[in-house]
Amino acid sequence: MHGQHDPKRDEFPKAISTQAEEFSRRLTAMGQSRLAAAAQAAVDGLHALIVELRPSGEEFRQAIDFLTEVGHYADARRQEWVLFADVLGVSSLIEDQNSPRPAGATPNTLAGPFYRADVPEMAPGANISRDHKGEPLEVAGRIVALDGAGIGDAVVEIWQANAEGLYENQEPDRQPEFNLRGRFRTDPQGRFRFMTVKPKGYTLPSDGPVGQLMSALGLGLERPAHIHFRVSAEGFETLTTHIFDRSDPAIGRDAIFGVKPELMAEFRALPPNAGKRKHALDLNLVLCSQRRGETETSGRR
């Protein structure tokens, strides 16, 4: 009856809320589309959250203030909205859905914000550390197909943070141009090799609203040490991935959910050279064939 609470509505709701029900009715009248489906799902999910949590007016204002502050921190140099999506696992989930890999293939991961496409090609075995700061690391790898056959003439691009956890384009005044970046071609057996330095893990920006939220939740912003690889070859889907140092203390709490078992490797210690610690990394990266009739776009984000 009008003006009286009906307990049956709480027990057997016809919709998440009367507002969501009316939104759906209005949307249906406009016709079906992917945008409409996305809007309906978003409204349903948001209303379900509100019904579950029953936020106060003050809590609602705090949520609006947080979203407003995220917008204030987003500009041409810093994308706080992307950071927000990253730490919620949204970016990684979308990458997994859009870049599926068959069993045995190396998983695709986010490229991240530090990739550069203009790095010059280098000779096999060259040192991508242009300032030679850090503990030397020898990397030897092979690019193979799912059947194990080597893929010759594949282009292998590499980029990584330095021994302080910083990328070259974060420190243009302190690091040489193209420091810790390289581009190599595999030999007929799919092999490549280069010298570098052992990278250090790092922490995502914590000075903005996303960092403050994660701190309030007691969650970290750490990324375990890793090296980025992007591999392209004729007839194969381009692979963009990380290889992580399995001994890094943060390996189980990567802030952007990029670590997968297949991507963890041993950055093993070698006998010291002139008293300096030295390391080695051996890896295989497995590509899958380009799907017939599809334009190859995987990993180009």
Side-chain angles (χ1 to χ4, degrees):
M1 289 184 293
H2 181 70
Q4 295 185 6
H5 177 68
D6 182 3
K8 291 184 178 180
R9 180 168 181 81
D10 291 340
E11 295 174 13
F12 305 104
K14 293 182 180 179
I16 294 167
S17 67
T18 56
Q19 294 87 353
E21 187 175 14
E22 176 61 15
F23 182 85
S24 178
R25 186 193 67 78
R26 297 178 186 181
L27 203 57
T28 300
M30 303 306 296
Q32 296 296 316
S33 69
R34 185 167 174 81
L35 177 61
Q40 184 63 65
V43 168
D44 285 347
L46 184 57
H47 282 237
L49 180 65
I50 292 169
V51 168
E52 175 69 22
L53 296 180
R54 302 181 67 85
S56 66
E58 176 60 26
E59 289 171 330
F60 178 56
R61 284 189 292 274
Q62 288 175 353
I64 294 298
D65 289 344
F66 169 77
L67 297 175
T68 301
E69 194 69 6
V70 172
H72 288 160
Y73 269 76
D75 56 29
R77 293 188 176 184
R78 173 168 175 166
Q79 233 317 337
E80 194 78 357
W81 284 109
V82 173
L83 178 61
F84 193 26
D86 287 348
V87 300
L88 295 181
V90 172
S91 302
S92 181
L93 174 59
I94 290 174
E95 186 66 34
D96 287 347
Q97 290 181 331
N98 285 303
S99 302
R101 289 289 192 271
T106 302
N108 210 73
T109 62
L110 296 168
F114 302 117
Y115 170 73
R116 290 182 61 176
D118 58 343
V119 179
E121 189 167 321
M122 305 175 74
N127 196 338
I128 66 172
S129 175
R130 290 166 168 83
D131 60 7
H132 304 287
K133 294 180 179 179
E135 297 175 359
L137 171 66
E138 296 180 1
V139 179
R142 192 163 179 252
I143 308 301
V144 301
L146 278 168
D147 63 3
I151 302 173
D153 204 37
V155 176
V156 183
E157 299 171 77
I158 302 104
W159 66 104
Q160 65 169 84
N162 65 9
E164 298 176 0
L166 294 165
Y167 289 82
E168 160 256 15
N169 46 359
Q170 289 180 291
E171 296 188 303
D173 296 329
R174 291 191 62 217
Q175 295 190 44
E177 181 80 348
F178 303 128
N179 192 39
L180 298 172
R181 299 176 183 275
R183 180 190 297 261
F184 299 89
R185 286 190 182 270
T186 59
D187 68 13
Q189 288 74 46
R191 296 173 300 195
F192 68 95
R193 58 188 177 87
F194 62 93
M195 289 295 302
T196 182
V197 296
K198 192 169 185 277
K200 182 182 178 182
Y202 54 88
T203 301
L204 298 176
S206 60
D207 58 330
V210 172
Q212 293 165 13
L213 173 64
M214 298 300 283
S215 177
L217 292 171
L219 300 176
L221 291 167
E222 297 167 281
R223 298 225 64 209
H226 57 270
I227 300 177
H228 294 268
F229 292 87
R230 176 182 159 91
V231 185
S232 53
E234 186 71 27
F236 293 87
E237 291 186 7
T238 294
L239 171 70
T240 302
T241 197
H242 304 47
I243 297 298
F244 294 89
D245 181 355
R246 69 167 69 252
S247 67
D248 191 290
I251 196 67
R253 53 179 186 271
D254 179 24
I256 71 169
F257 306 91
V259 177
K260 296 177 172 64
E262 306 94 321
L263 302 180
M264 294 190 292
E266 181 183 2
F267 288 47
R268 69 180 191 280
L270 296 176
N273 182 12
K276 194 170 187 179
R277 295 178 63 184
K278 194 174 180 181
H279 309 268
L281 170 64
D282 301 305
L283 68 153
N284 282 353
L285 299 176
V286 184
L287 306 189
C288 50
S289 298
Q290 186 173 332
R291 286 167 284 188
R292 189 173 299 174
E294 293 188 5
T295 301
E296 203 291 288
T297 59
S298 176
R300 296 188 183 278
R301 289 163 31 118

